[in-house]
Amino acid sequence: MFETFDANRSRYASVGVVSSLPGELIDSIWFIIDLDLKGLIPLDNMLTFDLENKKGHVTMHFYQDGSEVEMDIDLPFVYSNEFPAEVYAYDDGTRQTILLPSEIRQR
């Protein structure tokens, strides 16, 4: 068994995420995982972040299936309607990727 979202493993963002979010928001997701979530609650290998508009700025709403823990993190970045409504952070045990719902392979 591996420790989910170990900061020492390779981290990536999908093409869809890179083309739809500024780098600062992508980096913020990794910071939220490392500083606000890791060690505070048990993390699954799939995390969900909703990008919400709160008074013109981005609020990241974190949740994961099977957990009652949810968290809103207000960020200093201006919100855009062009941002995706939701992104996932996925850890397969060797690399971690932030991706859009449309980029998840269904089996």
Side-chain angles (χ1 to χ4, degrees):
M1 181 96 180
F2 66 94
E3 180 183 357
T4 56
F5 294 99
D6 180 347
N8 295 315
R9 279 201 303 276
S10 299
R11 289 182 164 174
Y12 303 93
S14 69
V15 171
V17 169
V18 169
S19 65
S20 62
L21 285 178
E24 297 86 5
L25 276 177
I26 296 168
D27 291 343
S28 292
I29 294 170
W30 295 125
F31 289 133
I32 290 167
I33 291 169
D34 292 339
L35 301 176
D36 297 322
L37 300 175
K38 189 90 173 125
L40 181 67
I41 60 171
L43 296 177
D44 292 337
N45 68 329
M46 178 75 81
L47 309 178
T48 305
F49 295 89
D50 291 337
L51 282 77
E52 301 174 350
N53 183 354
K54 185 173 180 185
K55 298 181 182 177
H57 287 86
V58 175
T59 293
M60 290 273 186
H61 176 78
F62 158 80
Y63 62 96
Q64 60 185 347
D65 288 340
S67 174
E68 294 182 14
V69 176
E70 296 186 25
M71 184 182 300
D72 284 347
I73 300 98
D74 296 329
L75 299 173
F77 306 111
V78 175
Y79 181 85
S80 169
N81 289 326
E82 301 296 315
F83 292 161
E86 182 177 68
V87 297
Y88 298 115
Y90 176 70
D91 185 341
D92 72 1
T94 54
R95 68 183 144 277
Q96 303 161 39
T97 307
I98 298 171
L99 62 160
L100 300 175
S102 62
E103 296 174 309
I104 294 178
R105 273 189 281 174
Q106 301 296 323
R107 293 181 182 210

